[in-house]
Amino acid sequence: MFNSLKTIIQTYLTIFFKLKKLTFKLILVIYCVFNCVQTHAGSECSNTRLDQHNGPLANIPIYDQDSFGSCYAYVAAQLIDAFRVSHKLPNPKSLTSPVKLTTDTMDSNAEQGGGYIEKAIENAKYYGSCNKKVTDQLLSKLNEKEFYAQTLSHYRHYLKEQERQSMFKKLTNTILGNDFSALQSIRCNLQNTGLSKNLLPSLADLDKIIKESYKWENIYLKNLISNICKNDTLDLSNLPNPISEYITHKPWDAQERANQTQIVLNRLLTEKNAQPVGITFCGITLTNPLYNGHPYNTDECKRHAAIIVGSKKTSDGSCMYLMRNAFGTGCELPRRFGLECEDGTGQIWLKGDRIGKATLGLTILK
Amino acid sequence: MSYFFVKAESNKKIIYNVAGKNETFILNVSYNAIVSEKCNKNRCQALSLLEKKASLDCSAFLFFNDRNPTNVICLDHLHANIKIGIDERGNETSICYFNDNSSVIADSLVRICK
């Protein structure tokens, strides 16, 4: 889907030389010209803002992911809500919770942090969305990392208590009471986060959640958040499947990657009912202006996800793209690295070559 | 309606909703930082900290990927707390809270990095 003009021409040339009949070759040439024009159309840079006026992101606020590595979930949540708003899907004011996307996307034995945008969207389609206000309430007195740490601490304590009691039963044949107090302490912990009583899981629900996730901490978090959100879940099964292209498998050429990325971005940002574009890229490019795209598959890349929300032509004819991170509205941090930052939104303008060389993949909903 | 931030003018008060309660902040012109209202009249930890420019080696974590780097400064290096403030347009921003209950928008903490 994201083939560049060069790739299309190369493909047609390969077929052209294999054909023997002149008629077929003529038809192929006409089809190729038509396809090339269509591909090239809209590939010029334009002044576009999807976060202003009636754009799909106009009513979606700037987020702050705090100190948790869930950038991909914040991107996914905003792509989903932008699509819902622009396609007039039900309840547009109920924003998707990135926290729920994070817990639904965590692998069963993976550490919290790091994931893929398209996986988060696919899980949202399957499990549904949760109103962001519900999980905001849960985290209102703790930041995300503290909430997860404290919740898991109580969960581990509960498991240890179960094992201790089980051992005691074997040794003494004594019938002990149930783990009532351990469950209550977990429930109290949730209440202390500011969660209203009507959202608190009952002791029976908590018991079920823990039994279903015995030894799997990520499943525990996922089930806990799902239970809290159960009365405010949105059906997202009618969302289209996300379209993603990761280009790390292709032969490496930084400038070709930059060119290809910009052609695709320009087209996606200007097509009818344009949607914001999720971008997975090497975050090192934001702090190192000399980063040329190497290496792209190591820790040095500092893999990160953000959203491209607009573009503009510069006086020298090059293109700049407007990026929205989930780091709040401040500009001191980006400006420290010489980045052009928009006051009040924290969104940053990046030269096309710079972001293009660092791009690992693009994800959209259409 | 678009989400545009109302740019802080000197002495203009800015309200952030933090954990369900409205808190008042103000742009301190001398320090060019948005701080809690109490800092405008009295000395506070938030302003004392901003005076310590370029004193912290942030090279190990000052980049864009997992964690908001200014939050790392607040939590790990200053041993303070982070809360998310929401402005009148619904935009979120991290706020660093100190022991004396003074606070500053976390973004400003980057200036204490070398």
Side-chain angles (χ1 to χ4, degrees), chain A residues 181-193:
Chain A
S181 61
L183 288 175
Q184 266 214 327
S185 68
I186 295 176
R187 200 163 183 269
C188 276
N189 179 51
L190 287 172
Q191 198 165 8
N192 287 339
T193 62

Side-chain angles (χ1 to χ4, degrees), chain A residues 49 51-54 57-71 74 113-114 132 136 140-143 145-146 281-284 286-287 302-304 325-334 336-337 339 342-345 348, chain B residues 1-7 16 18-20 31-34 50 54 56 58 60 62-73 75 80-87 89-95 105-114:
Chain A
R49 293 290 297 251
D51 62 325
Q52 291 181 348
H53 308 301
N54 293 320
L57 277 175
N59 290 322
I60 295 168
I62 305 293
Y63 290 154
D64 194 318
Q65 70 184 67
D66 199 353
S67 52
F68 204 67
S70 49
C71 52
Y74 278 82
K132 186 173 180 290
D136 280 353
S140 61
K141 289 186 183 172
L142 298 170
N143 61 29
K145 218 165 177 70
E146 276 179 12
F281 65 105
C282 290
I284 190 73
L286 298 181
T287 55
K302 308 291 181 209
R303 191 183 174 106
H304 182 47
N325 284 287
F327 285 159
T329 55
C331 275
E332 280 203 53
L333 177 64
R336 181 188 168 91
F337 295 107
L339 296 170
E342 196 172 69
D343 279 320
T345 68
I348 53 180
Chain B
M1 185 167 69
S2 299
Y3 275 89
F4 288 110
F5 181 79
V6 177
K7 190 174 178 181
Y16 283 106
V18 182
Y31 289 85
N32 192 28
I34 298 173
L50 291 177
L56 184 68
C58 305
L62 200 63
F63 40 72
F64 293 77
N65 72 327
D66 273 357
R67 301 168 71 189
N68 185 336
T70 54
N71 291 20
V72 174
I73 297 172
L75 293 167
N81 288 318
I82 285 283
K83 293 181 186 177
I84 301 294
I86 303 174
D87 69 19
R89 300 290 186 179
N91 295 327
E92 298 177 347
T93 196
S94 289
I95 305 172
I105 301 301
D107 184 56
S108 297
L109 297 177
V110 72
R111 62 182 81 172
I112 72 170
C113 293
K114 286 180 187 168

Side-chain angles (χ1 to χ4, degrees), chain A residues 236-268:
Chain A
L236 293 178
S237 55
N238 56 355
L239 275 181
N241 287 324
I243 303 171
S244 277
E245 175 159 319
Y246 282 88
I247 54 181
T248 52
H249 62 284
K250 292 186 181 172
W252 181 255
D253 181 316
Q255 192 55 54
E256 169 62 20
R257 179 185 291 248
N259 295 343
Q260 189 176 338
T261 300
Q262 289 180 80
I263 287 171
V264 173
L265 281 176
N266 292 340
R267 193 174 70 241
L268 291 175

Side-chain angles (χ1 to χ4, degrees), chain A residues 177-245:
Chain A
N178 60 24
D179 303 303
F180 188 72
S181 61
L183 288 175
Q184 266 214 327
S185 68
I186 295 176
R187 200 163 183 269
C188 276
N189 179 51
L190 287 172
Q191 198 165 8
N192 287 339
T193 62
L195 196 64
S196 56
K197 281 184 183 170
N198 63 316
L199 294 176
L200 279 175
S202 64
L203 291 180
D205 278 342
L206 264 178
D207 191 42
K208 188 167 179 283
I209 287 167
I210 289 172
K211 278 175 181 156
E212 282 171 3
S213 55
Y214 185 66
K215 287 191 180 174
W216 297 100
E217 295 182 344
N218 292 340
I219 294 179
Y220 165 67
L221 282 175
K222 176 177 153 180
N223 290 347
L224 182 66
I225 298 288
S226 289
N227 185 277
I228 287 166
C229 289
K230 65 185 175 190
N231 293 328
D232 210 333
T233 303
L234 269 179
D235 179 13
L236 293 178
S237 55
N238 56 355
L239 275 181
N241 287 324
I243 303 171
S244 277
E245 175 159 319

